[in-house]
Amino acid sequence: MEALRNLEVWQRGCRLAVSTYHLSRDCRDFGFRDQLTRSALSIPSNIAEGYERESNRERVRFLRISKGSCGEFWTQLLIGIEAGLIPKDQAQPLRTESAEIAKMLSGLIKHFEVRDEDGIPRYS
């Protein structure tokens, strides 16, 4: 768990989830609010689950799920802004942060994946 606590992408994911709860607190559309907070919460949660797995293959699987949640979250924020459910000035920094977290996750995935000369993933 100590390695996870020191992992910057996990820390940023946790802060993003907390910020999302604060942002959506006044949203009256329960379905939207629930989906938005679930996708934000999924980002650091899947990083944590991956770090508790025994193999790099499993770790990468959960990091990919987390990265997918970043895309889902980013999209939901855009829709929330356009639908007038959340203020653009408060949501836009979270969209930027989720995109940066996704980039960090891509790097982490590459770190755990090693490809052979044929481009087939091999896990160290």
Side-chain angles (χ1 to χ4, degrees):
M1 292 286 183
E2 196 60 33
L4 179 64
R5 290 180 58 120
N6 293 324
L7 191 64
E8 183 182 354
V9 70
W10 177 80
Q11 293 170 0
R12 289 174 71 170
C14 288
R15 285 193 300 268
L16 181 74
V18 170
S19 296
T20 301
Y21 276 96
H22 291 297
L23 171 69
S24 65
R25 185 179 293 150
D26 296 329
C27 180
R28 288 181 245 168
D29 184 323
F30 176 77
F32 173 77
R33 182 177 66 208
D34 183 56
Q35 189 66 30
L36 182 67
T37 55
R38 284 175 183 264
S39 64
L41 190 58
S42 178
I43 296 167
S45 297
N46 278 293
I47 295 169
E49 188 164 355
Y51 263 72
E52 288 300 309
R53 296 299 172 141
E54 298 296 320
S55 71
N56 281 348
R57 181 181 300 268
E58 286 184 294
R59 187 170 294 126
V60 165
R61 179 174 161 255
F62 282 94
L63 291 173
R64 285 184 176 140
I65 292 168
S66 180
K67 188 174 180 298
S69 294
C70 285
E72 179 183 4
F73 177 77
W74 187 88
T75 300
Q76 290 166 355
L77 283 176
L78 174 66
I79 292 167
I81 292 166
E82 294 298 319
L85 298 171
I86 50 177
K88 182 177 183 175
D89 64 325
Q90 294 175 27
Q92 194 58 44
L94 299 183
R95 288 186 78 220
T96 300
E97 179 67 358
S98 66
E100 290 178 19
I101 289 170
K103 288 178 187 175
M104 293 173 76
L105 287 167
S106 290
L108 200 53
I109 289 165
K110 286 178 187 173
H111 170 77
F112 288 114
E113 274 186 347
V114 177
R115 297 186 182 274
D116 67 12
E117 62 277 353
D118 297 322
I120 298 170
R122 301 212 181 203
Y123 300 89
S124 53

